[in-house]
Amino acid sequence: MLDAVLAILVLVGAFFTLVGSWGLAKMPDFFMRLHGPTKATTLGVGSVLVASALYFSFNTDGVSLHEVLVTLFLFMTAPVSAHMMAKAALHLRVKQVERTRQP
């Protein structure tokens, strides 16, 4: 049962990471490209880290806290870094694609 849960978590993580990376490469402007790494890739890496924490918690003595701490750090810093990059891009007046501008 544990192997099935771990496999599902790793597959979900790989899928979200792939979608986030694909979005980063294919989106037309900087502001749209922020969504790939901050949303999908964060969920993907978080899912893989949770799978790793479960695996090492069940196969070694004690709870594996390294992965849990990395996951918490990732979930706290990804939105903050995306917000700071967006504010810097607004300050530098980075051009947007016409169809994404607000009226």
Side-chain angles (χ1 to χ4, degrees), residues 10-57:
V10 169
L11 287 174
V12 166
F15 174 74
F16 276 116
T17 303
L18 177 69
V19 169
S21 301
W22 184 67
L24 178 65
K26 293 293 182 179
M27 294 292 179
D29 67 359
F30 176 80
F31 296 101
M32 295 174 97
R33 285 185 190 129
L34 280 176
H35 292 288
T38 56
K39 306 283 189 287
T41 308
T42 302
L43 286 174
V45 173
S47 178
V48 171
L49 284 169
V50 168
S52 176
L54 286 174
Y55 175 79
F56 285 111
S57 293

mmCIF file of all heavy atoms in Angstrom, residues 10-57:
data_model
loop_
_atom_site.group_PDB
_atom_site.id
_atom_site.type_symbol
_atom_site.label_atom_id
_atom_site.label_comp_id
_atom_site.label_asym_id
_atom_site.label_seq_id
_atom_site.Cartn_x
_atom_site.Cartn_y
_atom_site.Cartn_z
ATOM 1 N N VAL A 10 4.808 10.557 -6.470
ATOM 2 C CA VAL A 10 5.909 10.870 -7.386
ATOM 3 C C VAL A 10 5.376 11.183 -8.779
ATOM 4 O O VAL A 10 5.841 12.126 -9.442
ATOM 5 C CB VAL A 10 6.936 9.724 -7.412
ATOM 6 C CG1 VAL A 10 7.930 9.901 -8.542
ATOM 7 C CG2 VAL A 10 7.666 9.648 -6.086
ATOM 8 N N LEU A 11 4.387 10.425 -9.246
ATOM 9 C CA LEU A 11 3.805 10.698 -10.569
ATOM 10 C C LEU A 11 3.086 12.042 -10.607
ATOM 11 O O LEU A 11 3.202 12.788 -11.581
ATOM 12 C CB LEU A 11 2.861 9.569 -10.977
ATOM 13 C CG LEU A 11 3.531 8.264 -11.375
ATOM 14 C CD1 LEU A 11 2.494 7.180 -11.621
ATOM 15 C CD2 LEU A 11 4.401 8.466 -12.609
ATOM 16 N N VAL A 12 2.338 12.344 -9.560
ATOM 17 C CA VAL A 12 1.667 13.647 -9.492
ATOM 18 C C VAL A 12 2.700 14.761 -9.446
ATOM 19 O O VAL A 12 2.572 15.786 -10.136
ATOM 20 C CB VAL A 12 0.718 13.702 -8.262
ATOM 21 C CG1 VAL A 12 0.271 15.120 -7.971
ATOM 22 C CG2 VAL A 12 -0.482 12.809 -8.495
ATOM 23 N N GLY A 13 3.756 14.565 -8.677
ATOM 24 C CA GLY A 13 4.824 15.557 -8.606
ATOM 25 C C GLY A 13 5.512 15.756 -9.936
ATOM 26 O O GLY A 13 5.797 16.885 -10.349
ATOM 27 N N ALA A 14 5.797 14.660 -10.626
ATOM 28 C CA ALA A 14 6.434 14.765 -11.936
ATOM 29 C C ALA A 14 5.518 15.462 -12.942
ATOM 30 O O ALA A 14 5.974 16.280 -13.752
ATOM 31 C CB ALA A 14 6.818 13.381 -12.448
ATOM 32 N N PHE A 15 4.220 15.165 -12.885
ATOM 33 C CA PHE A 15 3.272 15.809 -13.794
ATOM 34 C C PHE A 15 3.208 17.319 -13.561
ATOM 35 O O PHE A 15 3.292 18.105 -14.507
ATOM 36 C CB PHE A 15 1.883 15.190 -13.627
ATOM 37 C CG PHE A 15 0.824 15.898 -14.421
ATOM 38 C CD1 PHE A 15 0.752 15.742 -15.792
ATOM 39 C CD2 PHE A 15 -0.086 16.730 -13.793
ATOM 40 C CE1 PHE A 15 -0.213 16.409 -16.532
ATOM 41 C CE2 PHE A 15 -1.053 17.395 -14.512
ATOM 42 C CZ PHE A 15 -1.120 17.239 -15.896
ATOM 43 N N PHE A 16 3.069 17.729 -12.297
ATOM 44 C CA PHE A 16 2.996 19.159 -12.012
ATOM 45 C C PHE A 16 4.297 19.877 -12.353
ATOM 46 O O PHE A 16 4.283 21.006 -12.850
ATOM 47 C CB PHE A 16 2.633 19.406 -10.543
ATOM 48 C CG PHE A 16 1.165 19.363 -10.274
ATOM 49 C CD1 PHE A 16 0.623 18.391 -9.456
ATOM 50 C CD2 PHE A 16 0.309 20.296 -10.830
ATOM 51 C CE1 PHE A 16 -0.727 18.347 -9.199
ATOM 52 C CE2 PHE A 16 -1.048 20.266 -10.585
ATOM 53 C CZ PHE A 16 -1.575 19.282 -9.773
ATOM 54 N N THR A 17 5.420 19.230 -12.107
ATOM 55 C CA THR A 17 6.704 19.838 -12.452
ATOM 56 C C THR A 17 6.836 19.994 -13.964
ATOM 57 O O THR A 17 7.307 21.022 -14.448
ATOM 58 C CB THR A 17 7.859 18.998 -11.883
ATOM 59 O OG1 THR A 17 7.685 18.896 -10.474
ATOM 60 C CG2 THR A 17 9.199 19.637 -12.179
ATOM 61 N N LEU A 18 6.405 18.985 -14.712
ATOM 62 C CA LEU A 18 6.438 19.067 -16.181
ATOM 63 C C LEU A 18 5.530 20.179 -16.693
ATOM 64 O O LEU A 18 5.934 20.974 -17.550
ATOM 65 C CB LEU A 18 6.030 17.727 -16.783
ATOM 66 C CG LEU A 18 5.946 17.689 -18.301
ATOM 67 C CD1 LEU A 18 7.347 17.818 -18.900
ATOM 68 C CD2 LEU A 18 5.281 16.417 -18.769
ATOM 69 N N VAL A 19 4.331 20.266 -16.157
ATOM 70 C CA VAL A 19 3.394 21.312 -16.588
ATOM 71 C C VAL A 19 3.930 22.702 -16.238
ATOM 72 O O VAL A 19 3.845 23.637 -17.043
ATOM 73 C CB VAL A 19 1.995 21.073 -15.968
ATOM 74 C CG1 VAL A 19 1.085 22.269 -16.169
ATOM 75 C CG2 VAL A 19 1.370 19.830 -16.567
ATOM 76 N N GLY A 20 4.509 22.848 -15.054
ATOM 77 C CA GLY A 20 5.077 24.131 -14.654
ATOM 78 C C GLY A 20 6.252 24.531 -15.519
ATOM 79 O O GLY A 20 6.388 25.689 -15.922
ATOM 80 N N SER A 21 7.096 23.584 -15.853
ATOM 81 C CA SER A 21 8.243 23.877 -16.714
ATOM 82 C C SER A 21 7.794 24.204 -18.132
ATOM 83 O O SER A 21 8.344 25.094 -18.784
ATOM 84 C CB SER A 21 9.192 22.684 -16.741
ATOM 85 O OG SER A 21 9.637 22.397 -15.453
ATOM 86 N N TRP A 22 6.794 23.475 -18.611
ATOM 87 C CA TRP A 22 6.267 23.743 -19.947
ATOM 88 C C TRP A 22 5.628 25.137 -20.000
ATOM 89 O O TRP A 22 5.820 25.873 -20.955
ATOM 90 C CB TRP A 22 5.249 22.664 -20.319
ATOM 91 C CG TRP A 22 4.716 22.806 -21.705
ATOM 92 C CD1 TRP A 22 5.390 22.658 -22.882
ATOM 93 C CD2 TRP A 22 3.379 23.145 -22.064
ATOM 94 N NE1 TRP A 22 4.555 22.879 -23.934
ATOM 95 C CE2 TRP A 22 3.309 23.180 -23.459
ATOM 96 C CE3 TRP A 22 2.235 23.416 -21.319
ATOM 97 C CZ2 TRP A 22 2.139 23.476 -24.133
ATOM 98 C CZ3 TRP A 22 1.077 23.702 -21.996
ATOM 99 C CH2 TRP A 22 1.043 23.741 -23.390
ATOM 100 N N GLY A 23 4.904 25.503 -18.948
ATOM 101 C CA GLY A 23 4.310 26.836 -18.880
ATOM 102 C C GLY A 23 5.357 27.931 -18.841
ATOM 103 O O GLY A 23 5.192 28.985 -19.453
ATOM 104 N N LEU A 24 6.450 27.686 -18.138
ATOM 105 C CA LEU A 24 7.544 28.652 -18.089
ATOM 106 C C LEU A 24 8.141 28.871 -19.470
ATOM 107 O O LEU A 24 8.472 29.992 -19.846
ATOM 108 C CB LEU A 24 8.618 28.163 -17.117
ATOM 109 C CG LEU A 24 9.865 29.016 -16.976
ATOM 110 C CD1 LEU A 24 9.508 30.369 -16.366
ATOM 111 C CD2 LEU A 24 10.892 28.311 -16.126
ATOM 112 N N ALA A 25 8.241 27.815 -20.248
ATOM 113 C CA ALA A 25 8.840 27.931 -21.582
ATOM 114 C C ALA A 25 7.877 28.500 -22.616
ATOM 115 O O ALA A 25 8.308 29.191 -23.546
ATOM 116 C CB ALA A 25 9.329 26.556 -22.042
ATOM 117 N N LYS A 26 6.590 28.253 -22.479
ATOM 118 C CA LYS A 26 5.633 28.606 -23.536
ATOM 119 C C LYS A 26 4.843 29.889 -23.317
ATOM 120 O O LYS A 26 4.255 30.400 -24.259
ATOM 121 C CB LYS A 26 4.635 27.451 -23.725
ATOM 122 C CG LYS A 26 5.262 26.210 -24.268
ATOM 123 C CD LYS A 26 5.720 26.440 -25.685
ATOM 124 C CE LYS A 26 6.302 25.173 -26.265
ATOM 125 N NZ LYS A 26 6.740 25.350 -27.636
ATOM 126 N N MET A 27 4.788 30.410 -22.124
ATOM 127 C CA MET A 27 4.005 31.626 -21.889
ATOM 128 C C MET A 27 4.643 32.823 -22.586
ATOM 129 O O MET A 27 5.860 32.920 -22.668
ATOM 130 C CB MET A 27 3.864 31.898 -20.395
ATOM 131 C CG MET A 27 3.059 30.874 -19.661
ATOM 132 S SD MET A 27 1.346 30.957 -20.153
ATOM 133 C CE MET A 27 0.667 29.653 -19.194
ATOM 134 N N PRO A 28 3.815 33.765 -23.056
ATOM 135 C CA PRO A 28 4.352 34.830 -23.911
ATOM 136 C C PRO A 28 5.073 35.974 -23.206
ATOM 137 O O PRO A 28 5.921 36.612 -23.814
ATOM 138 C CB PRO A 28 3.115 35.358 -24.639
ATOM 139 C CG PRO A 28 1.969 35.007 -23.773
ATOM 140 C CD PRO A 28 2.356 33.761 -23.046
ATOM 141 N N ASP A 29 4.752 36.270 -21.963
ATOM 142 C CA ASP A 29 5.449 37.390 -21.330
ATOM 143 C C ASP A 29 5.845 37.045 -19.893
ATOM 144 O O ASP A 29 5.500 36.003 -19.357
ATOM 145 C CB ASP A 29 4.627 38.684 -21.378
ATOM 146 C CG ASP A 29 3.358 38.654 -20.555
ATOM 147 O OD1 ASP A 29 3.078 37.617 -19.950
ATOM 148 O OD2 ASP A 29 2.663 39.665 -20.518
ATOM 149 N N PHE A 30 6.609 37.929 -19.288
ATOM 150 C CA PHE A 30 7.203 37.685 -17.967
ATOM 151 C C PHE A 30 6.149 37.425 -16.902
ATOM 152 O O PHE A 30 6.296 36.516 -16.084
ATOM 153 C CB PHE A 30 8.063 38.886 -17.568
ATOM 154 C CG PHE A 30 8.625 38.765 -16.188
ATOM 155 C CD1 PHE A 30 9.740 37.984 -15.955
ATOM 156 C CD2 PHE A 30 8.034 39.428 -15.117
ATOM 157 C CE1 PHE A 30 10.259 37.851 -14.676
ATOM 158 C CE2 PHE A 30 8.552 39.301 -13.850
ATOM 159 C CZ PHE A 30 9.663 38.516 -13.626
ATOM 160 N N PHE A 31 5.099 38.202 -16.886
ATOM 161 C CA PHE A 31 4.096 38.083 -15.828
ATOM 162 C C PHE A 31 3.353 36.751 -15.906
ATOM 163 O O PHE A 31 3.007 36.172 -14.887
ATOM 164 C CB PHE A 31 3.124 39.257 -15.896
ATOM 165 C CG PHE A 31 3.791 40.571 -15.620
ATOM 166 C CD1 PHE A 31 4.134 41.426 -16.654
ATOM 167 C CD2 PHE A 31 4.111 40.929 -14.329
ATOM 168 C CE1 PHE A 31 4.763 42.622 -16.394
ATOM 169 C CE2 PHE A 31 4.744 42.122 -14.056
ATOM 170 C CZ PHE A 31 5.071 42.972 -15.093
ATOM 171 N N MET A 32 3.107 36.279 -17.100
ATOM 172 C CA MET A 32 2.463 34.977 -17.252
ATOM 173 C C MET A 32 3.430 33.842 -16.913
ATOM 174 O O MET A 32 3.028 32.797 -16.415
ATOM 175 C CB MET A 32 1.925 34.813 -18.659
ATOM 176 C CG MET A 32 0.815 35.794 -18.978
ATOM 177 S SD MET A 32 0.335 35.689 -20.686
ATOM 178 C CE MET A 32 -1.071 34.622 -20.520
ATOM 179 N N ARG A 33 4.714 34.053 -17.152
ATOM 180 C CA ARG A 33 5.711 33.025 -16.855
ATOM 181 C C ARG A 33 5.905 32.820 -15.355
ATOM 182 O O ARG A 33 6.440 31.800 -14.945
ATOM 183 C CB ARG A 33 7.048 33.394 -17.486
ATOM 184 C CG ARG A 33 7.071 33.179 -18.952
ATOM 185 C CD ARG A 33 8.452 33.433 -19.507
ATOM 186 N NE ARG A 33 8.371 33.444 -20.956
ATOM 187 C CZ ARG A 33 8.856 34.393 -21.717
ATOM 188 N NH1 ARG A 33 9.490 35.414 -21.181
ATOM 189 N NH2 ARG A 33 8.721 34.319 -23.012
ATOM 190 N N LEU A 34 5.510 33.759 -14.542
ATOM 191 C CA LEU A 34 5.636 33.590 -13.092
ATOM 192 C C LEU A 34 4.746 32.465 -12.558
ATOM 193 O O LEU A 34 5.040 31.868 -11.532
ATOM 194 C CB LEU A 34 5.274 34.883 -12.370
ATOM 195 C CG LEU A 34 6.339 35.953 -12.318
ATOM 196 C CD1 LEU A 34 5.793 37.190 -11.650
ATOM 197 C CD2 LEU A 34 7.562 35.457 -11.613
ATOM 198 N N HIS A 35 3.642 32.189 -13.241
ATOM 199 C CA HIS A 35 2.699 31.192 -12.742
ATOM 200 C C HIS A 35 3.260 29.778 -12.808
ATOM 201 O O HIS A 35 2.932 28.956 -11.959
ATOM 202 C CB HIS A 35 1.380 31.264 -13.505
ATOM 203 C CG HIS A 35 0.637 32.518 -13.239
ATOM 204 N ND1 HIS A 35 0.019 32.760 -12.046
ATOM 205 C CD2 HIS A 35 0.436 33.610 -14.003
ATOM 206 C CE1 HIS A 35 -0.544 33.962 -12.081
ATOM 207 N NE2 HIS A 35 -0.300 34.487 -13.251
ATOM 208 N N GLY A 36 4.074 29.484 -13.821
ATOM 209 C CA GLY A 36 4.624 28.137 -13.948
ATOM 210 C C GLY A 36 5.440 27.708 -12.746
ATOM 211 O O GLY A 36 5.119 26.717 -12.075
ATOM 212 N N PRO A 37 6.497 28.425 -12.411
ATOM 213 C CA PRO A 37 7.312 27.989 -11.280
ATOM 214 C C PRO A 37 6.636 28.149 -9.926
ATOM 215 O O PRO A 37 6.875 27.357 -9.018
ATOM 216 C CB PRO A 37 8.543 28.886 -11.340
ATOM 217 C CG PRO A 37 8.505 29.576 -12.632
ATOM 218 C CD PRO A 37 7.116 29.484 -13.157
ATOM 219 N N THR A 38 5.786 29.145 -9.769
ATOM 220 C CA THR A 38 5.234 29.380 -8.437
ATOM 221 C C THR A 38 4.022 28.513 -8.133
ATOM 222 O O THR A 38 3.804 28.186 -6.974
ATOM 223 C CB THR A 38 4.840 30.853 -8.257
ATOM 224 O OG1 THR A 38 3.921 31.219 -9.279
ATOM 225 C CG2 THR A 38 6.056 31.737 -8.319
ATOM 226 N N LYS A 39 3.279 28.140 -9.109
ATOM 227 C CA LYS A 39 2.082 27.339 -8.835
ATOM 228 C C LYS A 39 2.340 25.851 -9.065
ATOM 229 O O LYS A 39 2.383 25.067 -8.133
ATOM 230 C CB LYS A 39 0.918 27.791 -9.733
ATOM 231 C CG LYS A 39 0.598 29.259 -9.656
ATOM 232 C CD LYS A 39 -0.154 29.585 -8.403
ATOM 233 C CE LYS A 39 -0.655 30.995 -8.409
ATOM 234 N NZ LYS A 39 0.320 32.024 -8.220
ATOM 235 N N ALA A 40 2.504 25.473 -10.302
ATOM 236 C CA ALA A 40 2.572 24.051 -10.638
ATOM 237 C C ALA A 40 3.858 23.396 -10.158
ATOM 238 O O ALA A 40 3.830 22.296 -9.600
ATOM 239 C CB ALA A 40 2.423 23.884 -12.146
ATOM 240 N N THR A 41 4.966 24.057 -10.354
ATOM 241 C CA THR A 41 6.227 23.444 -9.960
ATOM 242 C C THR A 41 6.342 23.340 -8.447
ATOM 243 O O THR A 41 6.911 22.373 -7.932
ATOM 244 C CB THR A 41 7.403 24.234 -10.558
ATOM 245 O OG1 THR A 41 7.178 24.366 -11.958
ATOM 246 C CG2 THR A 41 8.712 23.535 -10.342
ATOM 247 N N THR A 42 5.795 24.291 -7.714
ATOM 248 C CA THR A 42 5.795 24.204 -6.255
ATOM 249 C C THR A 42 5.002 22.984 -5.794
ATOM 250 O O THR A 42 5.445 22.246 -4.912
ATOM 251 C CB THR A 42 5.218 25.487 -5.636
ATOM 252 O OG1 THR A 42 6.000 26.589 -6.078
ATOM 253 C CG2 THR A 42 5.227 25.422 -4.130
ATOM 254 N N LEU A 43 3.858 22.749 -6.399
ATOM 255 C CA LEU A 43 3.074 21.556 -6.055
ATOM 256 C C LEU A 43 3.812 20.284 -6.448
ATOM 257 O O LEU A 43 3.775 19.290 -5.721
ATOM 258 C CB LEU A 43 1.713 21.603 -6.750
ATOM 259 C CG LEU A 43 0.710 22.587 -6.187
ATOM 260 C CD1 LEU A 43 -0.530 22.636 -7.072
ATOM 261 C CD2 LEU A 43 0.324 22.191 -4.785
ATOM 262 N N GLY A 44 4.487 20.310 -7.592
ATOM 263 C CA GLY A 44 5.226 19.133 -8.035
ATOM 264 C C GLY A 44 6.369 18.780 -7.116
ATOM 265 O O GLY A 44 6.513 17.634 -6.687
ATOM 266 N N VAL A 45 7.197 19.746 -6.802
ATOM 267 C CA VAL A 45 8.332 19.492 -5.910
ATOM 268 C C VAL A 45 7.834 19.150 -4.508
ATOM 269 O O VAL A 45 8.391 18.272 -3.839
ATOM 270 C CB VAL A 45 9.289 20.702 -5.897
ATOM 271 C CG1 VAL A 45 10.366 20.531 -4.861
ATOM 272 C CG2 VAL A 45 9.892 20.902 -7.264
ATOM 273 N N GLY A 46 6.783 19.804 -4.060
ATOM 274 C CA GLY A 46 6.215 19.486 -2.751
ATOM 275 C C GLY A 46 5.713 18.059 -2.678
ATOM 276 O O GLY A 46 5.907 17.368 -1.674
ATOM 277 N N SER A 47 5.081 17.585 -3.740
ATOM 278 C CA SER A 47 4.584 16.211 -3.769
ATOM 279 C C SER A 47 5.729 15.199 -3.737
ATOM 280 O O SER A 47 5.659 14.193 -3.022
ATOM 281 C CB SER A 47 3.733 16.007 -5.029
ATOM 282 O OG SER A 47 3.286 14.692 -5.116
ATOM 283 N N VAL A 48 6.786 15.461 -4.481
ATOM 284 C CA VAL A 48 7.942 14.561 -4.468
ATOM 285 C C VAL A 48 8.614 14.569 -3.092
ATOM 286 O O VAL A 48 9.040 13.525 -2.590
ATOM 287 C CB VAL A 48 8.938 14.940 -5.585
ATOM 288 C CG1 VAL A 48 10.231 14.172 -5.452
ATOM 289 C CG2 VAL A 48 8.315 14.695 -6.947
ATOM 290 N N LEU A 49 8.690 15.741 -2.468
ATOM 291 C CA LEU A 49 9.294 15.816 -1.134
ATOM 292 C C LEU A 49 8.449 15.100 -0.084
ATOM 293 O O LEU A 49 8.990 14.466 0.829
ATOM 294 C CB LEU A 49 9.510 17.274 -0.744
ATOM 295 C CG LEU A 49 10.685 17.967 -1.424
ATOM 296 C CD1 LEU A 49 10.629 19.462 -1.165
ATOM 297 C CD2 LEU A 49 11.992 17.388 -0.948
ATOM 298 N N VAL A 50 7.136 15.173 -0.187
ATOM 299 C CA VAL A 50 6.267 14.441 0.738
ATOM 300 C C VAL A 50 6.443 12.938 0.537
ATOM 301 O O VAL A 50 6.498 12.172 1.508
ATOM 302 C CB VAL A 50 4.792 14.873 0.566
ATOM 303 C CG1 VAL A 50 3.846 13.936 1.292
ATOM 304 C CG2 VAL A 50 4.599 16.291 1.050
ATOM 305 N N ALA A 51 6.545 12.502 -0.718
ATOM 306 C CA ALA A 51 6.793 11.079 -0.984
ATOM 307 C C ALA A 51 8.126 10.641 -0.386
ATOM 308 O O ALA A 51 8.225 9.569 0.210
ATOM 309 C CB ALA A 51 6.776 10.815 -2.495
ATOM 310 N N SER A 52 9.143 11.471 -0.520
ATOM 311 C CA SER A 52 10.451 11.155 0.059
ATOM 312 C C SER A 52 10.385 11.087 1.580
ATOM 313 O O SER A 52 10.974 10.191 2.199
ATOM 314 C CB SER A 52 11.481 12.197 -0.383
ATOM 315 O OG SER A 52 12.716 11.973 0.215
ATOM 316 N N ALA A 53 9.671 12.021 2.185
ATOM 317 C CA ALA A 53 9.532 12.016 3.644
ATOM 318 C C ALA A 53 8.805 10.761 4.116
ATOM 319 O O ALA A 53 9.195 10.147 5.125
ATOM 320 C CB ALA A 53 8.786 13.260 4.104
ATOM 321 N N LEU A 54 7.758 10.359 3.417
ATOM 322 C CA LEU A 54 7.041 9.137 3.789
ATOM 323 C C LEU A 54 7.932 7.910 3.643
ATOM 324 O O LEU A 54 7.957 7.030 4.511
ATOM 325 C CB LEU A 54 5.786 8.968 2.928
ATOM 326 C CG LEU A 54 4.615 9.882 3.235
ATOM 327 C CD1 LEU A 54 3.513 9.684 2.216
ATOM 328 C CD2 LEU A 54 4.094 9.596 4.635
ATOM 329 N N TYR A 55 8.662 7.832 2.547
ATOM 330 C CA TYR A 55 9.527 6.685 2.314
ATOM 331 C C TYR A 55 10.580 6.546 3.412
ATOM 332 O O TYR A 55 10.756 5.470 3.985
ATOM 333 C CB TYR A 55 10.194 6.806 0.948
ATOM 334 C CG TYR A 55 11.193 5.710 0.678
ATOM 335 C CD1 TYR A 55 10.756 4.449 0.292
ATOM 336 C CD2 TYR A 55 12.553 5.922 0.825
ATOM 337 C CE1 TYR A 55 11.663 3.421 0.064
ATOM 338 C CE2 TYR A 55 13.462 4.915 0.597
ATOM 339 C CZ TYR A 55 13.017 3.669 0.208
ATOM 340 O OH TYR A 55 13.912 2.660 -0.008
ATOM 341 N N PHE A 56 11.289 7.616 3.702
ATOM 342 C CA PHE A 56 12.350 7.535 4.692
ATOM 343 C C PHE A 56 11.813 7.426 6.119
ATOM 344 O O PHE A 56 12.490 6.896 6.999
ATOM 345 C CB PHE A 56 13.318 8.711 4.559
ATOM 346 C CG PHE A 56 14.221 8.570 3.375
ATOM 347 C CD1 PHE A 56 14.101 9.415 2.292
ATOM 348 C CD2 PHE A 56 15.172 7.569 3.323
ATOM 349 C CE1 PHE A 56 14.912 9.280 1.190
ATOM 350 C CE2 PHE A 56 15.999 7.414 2.232
ATOM 351 C CZ PHE A 56 15.873 8.270 1.151
ATOM 352 N N SER A 57 10.608 7.905 6.363
ATOM 353 C CA SER A 57 10.013 7.749 7.691
ATOM 354 C C SER A 57 9.645 6.298 7.972
ATOM 355 O O SER A 57 9.773 5.825 9.101
ATOM 356 C CB SER A 57 8.776 8.628 7.829
ATOM 357 O OG SER A 57 9.140 9.981 7.818
#
